[in-house]
Amino acid sequence: MGKSLRYVALLIICTILLTGCWDRRELEERASVLAIAIDQDEKDEKLYKMTVQIPIPIKIAGSSGKGGGSGADAVKIMSVTGRTVTDASNNLQMQLNQRLFLGHTRILAVSEEVARKGIQDIMDSFRREPQIRRLLWPIVVRGKASTLLEIKPRIEPIPVVYMMGLIENGMKLGRIPDQTLGDYFNQTSNLTMEPFLNYVEARKNEVSWKGVAVFRGHKMVGKLDHLQTWILLQLRNEKPGGDIVIPLPKTKNGYVSFRPHFVKKKVIIHQSSSATYHCELQGDIVELTEDLKIPPEQFVLQMQALIKKEMENRAKKLLQQLQKQYNSDILKLGLTLRAKHYQDYWKTHNWKQDFRDFPVRVTYTIKLRRLGMEMQ
């Protein structure tokens, strides 16, 4: 009986020790950062300028039954400088009366100037920080990265929420790559591929997605516009991309608009000496500005041939840019090559050097599902 009482007493003591929130942190005691922007300091090139966007809860939700604040009042923009990201964070903490918290950070913006010099030291800091989520979106900004945090969109009180909605909506439509911080870490740690990041331009009241920034290692080497990025999405991720507007031959100002809906691609490696991408697009004709006055059967064949030629020309230009100009395999072709020809090619070659001259060809198959209605 005494032994049983000792067990019960031990159980009660353990229960008491396990309960309670001894390490709790109240939300009001934290300064949650939603977005971080990294620029080169204008006065000293050896310093980084870090800008953060911190929401003010009472301004967003309102108080005493009143509405929330405006976009200018809902967030606090703060800028500090430092030799490293950690140094800048420490300097920022000394200006805050609350503890800095990065667990809610959703956007990491880097200026194009910093990205072209290399962001390995910047990413090292975020990789080691346990609060940082791997699902946040790193973005390269044309001009100053801090501009992205200072925009004042009229349809959202918090600028970063507007940016998040833009990216999420583009991802659902298959027009913007879902490139997270975790993806960047994986790509820079893998010898079979190179990383890329979304590229945006921010102005006073708006922000627009312009394409992707192409990296070789941790250094930005170039960029792709939105049309080239849509080809990349089709060949890399089987995403449809956006509408394709093509001039109609033998017309003065005629255009046809093709909207892809489904993508299917297959990569074939020919005896480890060349590669062919076979890409099938299924979509609709959503606009035709001039009547060709030909039978529907002939119209379908003519449009499929026209779209096929246009897509293959765009893919050819994309490959020339990635191989000859940037020498950056963001297509993940090396991943396929290593998986299928590890012994006879991968072990004896340096893909980082060979990608530039590796023969790659792209062929398209176009299938029109609907031609749209015509006004009579």
Side-chain angles (χ1 to χ4, degrees), residues 122-130 132 134 181 184-186 188-189 218:
I122 295 174
M123 289 302 184
D124 180 77
S125 175
F126 291 106
R127 191 166 195 165
R128 297 173 186 272
E129 173 55 60
I132 289 292
R134 296 302 187 261
L181 184 65
Y184 180 88
F185 289 156
N186 291 335
T188 51
S189 302
H218 293 276

Side-chain angles (χ1 to χ4, degrees), residues 41-172:
D41 185 52
E42 297 177 354
K43 298 180 180 179
D44 190 347
E45 293 184 355
K46 296 181 180 180
L47 299 179
Y48 289 119
K49 179 182 178 182
M50 186 173 76
T51 306
V52 298
Q53 188 177 101
I54 302 174
I56 305 174
I58 194 171
K59 294 288 186 179
I60 299 173
S63 60
S64 303
K66 299 180 181 180
S70 63
D73 300 329
V75 295
K76 173 70 174 177
I77 306 295
M78 300 183 68
S79 296
V80 293
T81 59
R83 294 165 295 177
T84 65
V85 173
T86 302
D87 187 30
S89 298
N90 293 335
N91 294 336
L92 177 63
Q93 182 64 74
M94 288 188 287
Q95 298 182 22
L96 293 170
N97 63 337
Q98 299 169 332
R99 184 173 181 178
L100 198 65
F101 182 64
L102 304 178
H104 295 313
T105 306
R106 297 301 305 274
I107 299 290
L108 171 60
V110 180
S111 69
E112 183 174 347
E113 179 187 8
V114 172
R116 287 189 179 275
K117 290 182 178 180
I119 57 175
Q120 183 173 3
D121 53 343
I122 295 174
M123 289 302 184
D124 180 77
S125 175
F126 291 106
R127 191 166 195 165
R128 297 173 186 272
E129 173 55 60
Q131 291 183 357
I132 289 292
R133 296 184 181 184
R134 296 302 187 261
L135 293 179
L136 72 78
W137 290 307
I139 296 173
V140 176
V141 183
R142 181 179 180 180
K144 292 184 179 180
S146 59
T147 309
L148 184 65
L149 277 58
E150 296 168 354
I151 61 172
K152 300 176 182 179
R154 298 178 181 178
I155 60 177
E156 285 287 351
I158 304 179
V160 171
V161 175
Y162 176 82
M163 186 65 207
M164 289 163 50
L166 186 149
I167 296 177
E168 289 176 347
N169 185 58
M171 286 164 37
K172 293 176 182 178

Side-chain angles (χ1 to χ4, degrees), residues 6-23:
R6 286 197 298 270
Y7 283 142
V8 172
L10 180 61
L11 182 60
I12 293 173
I13 294 173
C14 292
T15 304
I16 294 173
L17 293 175
L18 290 174
T19 57
C21 300
W22 58 273
D23 62 343

